[in-house]
Amino acid sequence: MLHVKNLTFSYNKTPVLSAISFNAKQGEHVAIIGESGSGKSTLLKVLYGEYDLDKGHVFWNDEEILGPKYNLVVGYDFMKYVAQEFDLMPFITVEENIGKFLSRFYPEEKQRRTEELLEVVELTKFSKTKVKTLSGGQKQRVALARALAKQPEIILLDEPFSHIDNFKKQSLRRSVFRYLKEHNITCVVATHDKEDVLGFADRMIVLNDNKIAVNDYPETLYKNPKTPLIASFFGEFNVLNNQIVYAHQLKVVDQSELKAIVKQSFFKGHYYLIEADLNGEQVFFEFSMQANKGTELFLKVIEH
Ligand code: ADP
Ligand code: MG
């Protein structure tokens, strides 16, 4: 179990994290979300022991994670970290990068393990390719596989799919998160993408103003986003009578009290997102058809 207790950290007196406390059980997937600059990357680095805390403690089971002041070599065998900017060895191949930290005294095991991880990150075809010739997204996948090579108990992932294109992202996400669950590896994932959270994360922690704004189940936060910040993470939303209403919760009906006048329609695939004026306020809702500017549409709020 990861146990974070009252963690407080600043870069040269500028506070970034203040009194952060949370736990992550063995095998649990915790998502850390927050706007750019909210301290997600800093939190992961501090959990990894890259910096010394101003206050507080981080424990993995009974072992305290200590920063450079107390530790000659940063990091622990049971914990791996994949940075937003990954650092690989460019002049050797993908499989050599992944196998780098596996014992060469067990060549068959090393080979088997490397192949297994190449499959998880869907890079089997590139095993013999030199890393320097790979795209950003492919490098990110090599970094992931390398972090998993020695089977950590906990892995810290900083926006793990940010460089990966949409063609690959969905299947890779499923593959990596499934692998972590199957091997009961705890993961703490910093992200600003709801697709990394919904369907995968057990808990979701929202960072705001240097603190944890909420720590709850993703489903609970999705269904009842208490603040615009949380709602904006999940999608387009409106504030009507002080209530947060997602765009998809506003249905177009034949007649209602809520008359909206269309300003613009945006094609979104299986629906159009409509921007409209509702009694002088801007609203967004989803509609099955395109609607021209000036069209009057009546709206009704529905439950999820
Ligand atoms: P996020 O990952 O959520 O975008 P970061 O953890 O990267 O946020 O940054 C949090 C804050 O700390 C930002 O204000 C950023 O400018 C600052 N910061 C990040 N790294 C450093 C550093 N090495 N030195 C000083 N300030 C930093
Ligand atoms: Mg970051």
Side-chain angles (χ1 to χ4, degrees), residues 222-225 244 246 248-249 302-304:
Y222 175 79
K223 290 194 170 149
N224 187 11
I244 287 172
Y246 290 110
H248 69 261
Q249 288 180 273
I302 56 155
E303 295 299 312
H304 286 285

Side-chain angles (χ1 to χ4, degrees), residues 62-81:
D62 295 329
E63 182 140 15
E64 182 157 15
I65 310 289
L66 298 170
K69 218 186 269 175
Y70 306 92
N71 234 350
L72 194 59
V73 181
V74 168
Y76 295 82
D77 279 347
F78 51 79
M79 181 184 268
K80 283 280 171 279
Y81 160 63

Side-chain angles (χ1 to χ4, degrees), residues 131-150:
V131 160
K132 71 174 162 60
T133 65
L134 298 177
S135 72
Q138 289 166 333
K139 285 182 188 149
Q140 192 162 32
R141 280 141 67 194
V142 178
L144 269 169
R146 194 181 57 174
L148 291 170
K150 272 183 145 178

Side-chain angles (χ1 to χ4, degrees), residues 10 217 280:
S10 43
Y217 301 109

